[in-house]
Amino acid sequence: MKIYMVGGAVRDALLGLPVQDRDWVVVGATPEDMAAQGFRPVGRDFPVFLHPDTHEEYALARTERKSGRGYRGFVVHAAPDVTLEEDLARRDLTINAIAANAGEISAEALFDPYFGQRDLQQRVLRHVGDAFREDPVRILRVARFAARFTDFAVAPETTQLMREMVDAGEADHLVPERVWQELARGLMEVQPSRMFAVLRSCGALAVLLPEVERLWGVPQRAEYHPEVDTGVHLMMVLDMSARLNAPLGVRFACLTHDLGKGTTPHELLPRHLGHEQRSAKLLRGVCERLRVPVDCRELADVVAREHGNIHRSGELNAAALLRLLERCDAIRKPERFEDVLLACECDARGRLGFEESAYPQRARLLAAMRAARAVDTAPLAADAAARGLKGPQVGEQIHAARAQAIAAALPD
């Protein structure tokens, strides 16, 4: 029985990056052998065991054979006669198919049958073999790795293979949860725009997110968007969200805030009247299709509907500012509103030549929100009740007090 550290842990160690989770492969062992060593089995379709002390996962060397379309449908074979090379052959990229004997990172301890070290040195994302085509999730993984390792290029033959998979309909059978999982991880990488560039290059984006794909080639008014192309702007906004260390919900909102511009009638271009409401409608379809978590979809909905009004909020008086806060549910959900404003700042600065520009709307709206929330509504409600006011009339009294508080808090 031999034990090897494999996959991302070896790759990151060779790149000089922090090693997060370690994966282990055991060659020449049976489940009984693992039990005798104190390992506890994990309930999965293939033999995986937890180390009795470290609780890390150890998998028996295995092979996989495709038995159906999409991510599901694999026949797994794990046995003592499965070699390490056979186990590594089922992995996605050469840089993830390097094994380290007993976890030792040294020239003598590394097993690298598919030249992953060469591709690390040359900064190339290259598939291991033709078995890559059996799992369409790997298309998303390659795109995600491109967003993480920003100086790596996808090998032309890998791009071609992914294109063939898309043409064969494999991307049509991806499970929504897996698409969202990979998409969310890619959005949180260093340069999320690279993920979408890779997905576009092989045709997968048009299958998975046609609402986003159609934004390229759609013009915007050059005086507001010197980059002109809506797709280019979208990628600039995403990369700005990464630069500002935005959380996932903000990054997803950045991705979907302008979907409606892809459906603007041709005769109106380059103007996009009413695109906010069209964006919100398209967003609902995306969220239902990919089963996006509720917190992400609700944040993205506010940004899609209100980003134009937030950009123009410097022109609004106290009463109008309060109405905007109420539409954003900012008084009840101040933390979410802060994220809404961060997404809007990413949108404003994700334009050619505006990357270093200030976004005063954010500070002004935060001040307005704090002033409105500082109003003590209990005595107002009690006073209104004493005067015989009810329901909407009480709400009007509170609304008026909040508008006055905003007016007093903001400079003329």
Side-chain angles (χ1 to χ4, degrees):
M1 183 170 78
K2 291 187 176 182
I3 298 176
Y4 299 86
M5 187 170 70
V6 298
V10 179
R11 176 200 68 224
D12 289 348
L14 291 171
L15 287 172
L17 300 173
V19 173
Q20 304 294 334
D21 299 318
R22 300 189 299 177
D23 293 319
W24 302 88
V25 164
V26 183
V27 179
T30 66
E32 292 74 22
D33 295 329
M34 301 297 288
Q37 296 292 325
F39 286 83
R40 182 165 56 85
V42 178
R44 287 190 179 176
D45 296 333
F46 49 86
V48 177
F49 302 83
L50 289 182
H51 191 283
D53 299 320
T54 66
H55 302 291
E56 292 178 319
E57 292 189 352
Y58 286 65
L60 297 185
R62 67 187 189 272
T63 61
E64 295 174 348
R65 180 171 53 84
K66 189 74 174 288
S67 61
R69 279 190 173 274
Y71 173 69
R72 298 191 179 106
F74 286 89
V75 175
V76 176
H77 172 66
D81 61 347
V82 176
T83 68
L84 179 59
E85 185 170 350
E86 289 173 328
D87 181 273
L88 295 175
R90 68 180 175 78
R91 298 178 183 272
D92 50 8
L93 299 174
T94 60
I95 63 172
N96 296 329
I98 309 170
N101 190 5
E104 180 184 346
I105 306 298
S106 68
E108 298 76 19
L110 293 180
F111 182 66
D112 184 16
Y114 303 106
F115 307 103
Q117 293 176 87
R118 175 202 63 190
D119 286 340
L120 283 176
Q121 294 170 356
Q122 296 180 358
R123 297 299 195 258
V124 175
L125 300 173
R126 191 191 318 274
H127 64 285
V128 171
D130 201 56
F132 180 99
R133 69 171 69 246
E134 295 182 347
D135 184 0
V137 172
R138 290 174 170 175
I139 297 173
L140 287 160
R141 281 175 56 82
V142 171
R144 174 165 60 83
F145 281 126
R148 177 187 301 179
F149 301 116
T150 58
D151 58 343
F152 278 63
V154 180
E157 61 269 28
T158 300
T159 298
Q160 177 59 32
L161 178 57
M162 294 192 298
R163 187 177 297 116
E164 292 172 4
M165 293 168 66
V166 172
D167 291 344
E170 283 290 334
D172 300 316
H173 297 275
L174 281 166
V175 178
E177 291 84 354
R178 290 305 305 274
V179 175
W180 169 250
Q181 181 184 53
E182 294 295 329
L183 180 66
R185 294 178 71 181
L187 286 172
M188 293 305 296
E189 297 292 2
V190 179
Q191 191 177 345
S193 64
R194 297 199 77 220
M195 174 172 64
F196 294 93
V198 170
L199 293 176
R200 288 191 73 218
S201 70
C202 67
L205 188 61
V207 175
L208 301 174
L209 283 171
E211 301 89 347
V212 175
E213 166 69 28
R214 68 167 66 105
L215 296 178
W216 274 269
V218 176
Q220 302 170 104
R221 293 174 64 180
E223 62 267 36
Y224 298 119
H225 288 277
E227 71 281 355
V228 179
D229 189 288
T230 304
V232 173
H233 164 62
L234 184 64
M235 295 299 101
M236 295 179 70
V237 175
L238 272 184
D239 288 345
M240 182 58 66
S241 73
R243 174 181 165 182
L244 298 182
N245 295 314
L248 174 60
V250 171
R251 299 192 192 200
F252 179 66
C254 287
L255 174 67
T256 56
H257 77 285
D258 266 351
L259 295 180
K261 289 184 177 179
T263 60
T264 298
H266 184 75
E267 61 272 15
L268 294 181
L269 296 175
R271 304 183 71 190
H272 293 277
L273 298 176
H275 79 275
E276 293 91 348
Q277 293 303 319
R278 297 197 304 276
S279 295
K281 182 177 180 180
L282 290 166
L283 168 68
R284 288 192 289 272
V286 170
C287 291
E288 291 171 4
R289 189 170 72 245
L290 298 185
R291 301 175 190 174
V292 175
V294 173
D295 58 339
C296 287
R297 70 169 67 189
E298 290 183 348
L299 172 59
D301 176 69
V302 176
V303 174
R305 286 187 291 105
E306 299 293 346
H307 67 273
N309 293 322
I310 289 173
H311 292 331
R312 295 185 291 271
S313 61
E315 307 166 6
L316 303 180
N317 61 24
L321 285 174
L322 179 57
R323 289 194 296 272
L324 175 59
L325 293 176
E326 290 172 340
R327 290 198 304 275
C328 296
D329 205 6
I331 296 171
R332 287 198 319 123
K333 299 181 178 180
E335 294 84 5
R336 189 183 72 181
F337 187 60
E338 290 185 21
D339 284 343
V340 168
L341 295 179
L342 178 56
C344 289
E345 178 172 349
C346 294
D347 181 31
R349 294 174 60 184
R351 298 180 293 163
L352 190 63
F354 288 84
E355 295 87 349
E356 307 304 325
S357 297
Y359 190 65
Q361 295 92 324
R362 185 179 178 188
R364 187 168 189 260
L365 282 168
L366 284 176
M369 179 190 74
R370 291 171 186 139
R373 296 190 76 245
V375 173
D376 189 353
T377 59
L380 289 172
D383 177 69
R387 291 187 288 125
L389 302 179
K390 297 180 180 179
Q393 294 172 315
V394 176
E396 290 173 3
Q397 297 294 307
I398 294 173
H399 183 92
R402 285 172 171 165
Q404 290 175 1
I406 291 172
L410 297 182
D412 294 335

